[in-house]
C-alpha cells in the first residue's frame, strides 16, 4: 500500500433550497489508501454520487475536510481547484460525456492539451492503443458503440496519470457483455497505472471486485468491508 491518497474528515453536505433542502452527506469520515480500489454501494438517494462528486472536487462540502494527495481541496479557490483536478483527478461518468464534435483521439488528448503538453496527441494515441482502440482514432462518438465510448472516456480520464480516479456507474448504460469488458479494462488499467480507484455502482458483483467496499445509507457509512472507518475513529 502507498499510504493515504484521499481522506474525508467529518464531511457534511446539504443540497437544495428552503423546504426542498436535503441533508445528503452526514459526518462522513473515510480514508482511502493509495493504489487500491474502493467500491461504494447503497440504495438510491443514499449519497453515493454526491460522495464521489465531493471527492472529485465537483461539489464543495458545507463542512469538513476533503484531502486529496495532501491538499485540502475544500479550501481551494475555483481556479486552483480546476488546475488541481486537471492534474490529479480523473473522472469517468455513466453517460460518457465525450465531446460529440471531436474524434476519439481529440477527446482523449483534451486534458493534456489544456495543460499545455506538446505530446498530447502522441500520448492519446498510446492510451487508445492500450485499451484496444488504436484503429478507431478518427471515429466520432456517434460512430462508436456505447462500450467503445466508455473505453474512450476511461482513456481520457487516465491520460494525465491521475492520483485518484473516480467512476460513477461506469457500466450503468451498457449491456452485460459490454459492461464486463469495460469493468475488466477499468480494473486492468487501474492496476497497471497504480492509480487509486473509487467506484460508485449499483452492481454488487462489480463492487465485490474492489479491494474494499463501503455501503452508504441515508448519507452515512453503514458498513465497511475492511472496517477501516471504525479503525480511523478509534
Amino acid at each position: 500500500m502507498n499510504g493515504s491518497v484521499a481522506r474525508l474528515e467529518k464531511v457534511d453536505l446539504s443540497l437544495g433550497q428552503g423546504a426542498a433542502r436535503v441533508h445528503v452527506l452526514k459526518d462522513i469520515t473515510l480514508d482511502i489508501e493509495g493504489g487500491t480500489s474502493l467500491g461504494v454501494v447503497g440504495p438510491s438517494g443514499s449519497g453515493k454520487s454526491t460522495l464521489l462528486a465531493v471527492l472529485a472536487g465537483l461539489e464543495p462540502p458545507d463542512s469538513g475536510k476533503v484531502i486529496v494527495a495532501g491538499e485540502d481541496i475544500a479550501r481551494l479557490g475555483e481556479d486552483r481547484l480546476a488546475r488541481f483536478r486537471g492534474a490529479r483527478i480523473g473522472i469517468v461518468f455513466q453517460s460518457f460525456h465525450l465531446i460529440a464534435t471531436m474524434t476519439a483521439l481529440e477527446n482523449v488528448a483534451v486534458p493534456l492539451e489544456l495543460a499545455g503538453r506538446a505530446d498530447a496527441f502522441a500520448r492519446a494515441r498510446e492510451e487508445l492503443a492500450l485499451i484496444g482502440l488504436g484503429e478507431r482514432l478518427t471515429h466520432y462518438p456517434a460512430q462508436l458503440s456505447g462500450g467503445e465510448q466508455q473505453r474512450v472516456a476511461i482513456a481520457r480520464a487516465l491520460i494525465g496519470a491521475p492520483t485518484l480516479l473516480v467512476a460513477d456507474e461506469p457500466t450503468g448504460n451498457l449491456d452485460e457483455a459490454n459492461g464486463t469488458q469495460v469493468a475488466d479494462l477499468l480494473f486492468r488499467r487501474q492496476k497497471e497505472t497504480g492509480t487509486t480507484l473509487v467506484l460508485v455502482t449499483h452492481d454488487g458483483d462489480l463492487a465485490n471486485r474492489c479491494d474494499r467496499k463501503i455501503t452508504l445509507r441515508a448519507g452515512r457509512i453503514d458498513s465497511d468491508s475492511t472496517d477501516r472507518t471504525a479503525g480511523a475513529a478509534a
Side-chain angles (χ1 to χ4, degrees):
M1 302 301 177
N2 303 314
S4 177
V5 156
R7 179 173 174 81
L8 303 180
E9 296 182 5
K10 296 186 176 299
V11 166
D12 270 86
L13 175 62
S14 295
L15 297 174
Q17 300 293 326
R21 193 163 176 80
V22 178
H23 197 176
V24 183
L25 298 179
K26 305 169 184 174
D27 196 31
I28 297 284
T29 292
L30 176 66
D31 206 13
I32 306 169
E33 291 186 49
T36 64
S37 53
L38 170 67
V40 183
V41 298
S44 292
S46 59
K48 302 187 300 297
S49 292
T50 304
L51 175 67
L52 210 66
V54 168
L55 266 174
L58 298 173
E59 192 71 62
D62 296 329
S63 61
K65 295 182 179 181
V66 183
I67 301 168
V68 178
E71 185 83 59
D72 185 358
I73 64 175
R75 295 179 178 273
L76 296 181
E78 189 174 328
D79 290 343
R80 282 187 62 200
L81 176 57
R83 289 194 296 272
F84 181 89
R85 194 164 48 231
R88 292 288 197 167
I89 302 172
I91 306 173
V92 178
F93 299 97
Q94 178 177 347
S95 54
F96 320 140
H97 285 207
L98 300 179
I99 301 170
T101 56
M102 288 186 174
T103 63
L105 180 65
E106 290 167 337
N107 266 285
V108 175
V110 161
L112 295 189
E113 279 196 293
L114 291 174
R117 291 269 296 269
D119 63 344
F121 283 92
R123 282 287 299 112
R125 287 188 186 90
E126 292 172 5
E127 195 65 45
L128 283 164
L130 285 170
I131 64 166
L133 290 178
E135 303 301 315
R136 309 285 270 171
L137 303 181
T138 60
H139 287 67
Y140 291 90
Q143 298 171 312
L144 301 172
S145 69
E148 288 172 333
Q149 290 185 63
Q150 192 61 298
R151 285 154 68 188
V152 171
I154 291 170
R156 180 183 60 189
L158 286 171
I159 193 170
T163 304
L164 178 66
L165 175 66
V166 298
D168 192 359
E169 299 281 10
T171 62
N173 279 353
L174 305 176
D175 60 35
E176 184 175 355
N178 276 307
T180 298
Q181 289 180 357
V182 164
D184 289 346
L185 170 67
L186 189 62
F187 284 108
R188 174 172 66 82
R189 293 296 291 135
Q190 182 255 329
K191 293 297 185 185
E192 289 171 350
T193 60
T195 192
T196 301
L197 171 65
V198 181
L199 168 69
V200 162
T201 181
H202 66 279
D203 184 338
D205 290 337
L206 183 57
N208 287 336
R209 294 183 62 174
C210 295
D211 299 316
R212 177 185 177 193
K213 181 175 72 174
I214 63 171
T215 302
L216 290 186
R217 293 188 188 279
R220 299 183 187 275
I221 296 177
D222 183 65
S223 66
D224 184 335
S225 63
T226 61
D227 204 31
R228 286 177 189 155
T229 49

